[in-house]
Amino acid sequence: MIPAPGPGEDPPPPGAPSRALRVRAAAGWERFMRRAEAAGAYPVGADGYERHPLLHGRVRDTASGAEGVLTAVTHETHDDGRVVRIAHIRGENGVEWTAAADNIRPNDEGKGMRADDSTDRG
């Protein structure tokens, strides 16, 4: 059964989430944040940005081997309710990419490739 709009509330336009879904999503986000805080995770602001200790520092994406500066870590909620941590990295050449935040490590100088190097050397 679909809940009726609250008093003085217009029904959502077609395709928009219902009030009940928005309330449920907000409650789920609050539960996620409480669990993350209890587990010692990094704090997240109301804007969805994580206060990661490597923020604005040189990092290496272990999946690709590319290096750059960590510009942000955001949290994205997928359709199935999972929250995924996304690292935003800017290479020396100015090109930005995203990676799983769990794949980010502090840059070990002299090891790995720089973000502007190509893996194709031929």
Side-chain angles (χ1 to χ4, degrees), residues 12 17 24 26-27 38 44 54 57 65 87 90 95 97 107:
R24 195 168 133 208
V44 178
L54 298 176
R90 179 180 297 131
V95 175
W97 74 93
N107 184 15

Side-chain angles (χ1 to χ4, degrees), residues 80-95:
D80 61 0
R82 291 178 303 123
V83 176
V84 179
R85 297 171 56 234
I86 306 292
H88 301 261
I89 306 164
R90 179 180 297 131
E92 290 180 8
N93 60 359
V95 175

Side-chain angles (χ1 to χ4, degrees), residues 23-25 36 51 64 66 73 98 117:
V23 168
R24 195 168 133 208
R51 294 182 196 98
S64 67
V73 177
T98 59
D117 284 347

Side-chain angles (χ1 to χ4, degrees), residues 9 31 48 93 102 104 108 120:
E9 183 179 346
R31 278 194 310 276
N93 60 359
D102 292 336
I104 301 303
D108 296 331
D120 183 12

Side-chain angles (χ1 to χ4, degrees), residues 4-5 30 34-35 40 46 49-50 56 58-59 62 65 76-77 82 86 96 102 106 116:
E30 290 300 320
R34 281 194 303 271
R35 284 188 210 139
Y49 288 87
E50 184 176 297
H56 306 298
R58 301 261 327 145
V59 296
T62 59
E76 294 180 2
T77 305
R82 291 178 303 123
I86 306 292
E96 294 190 17
D102 292 336
D116 58 345

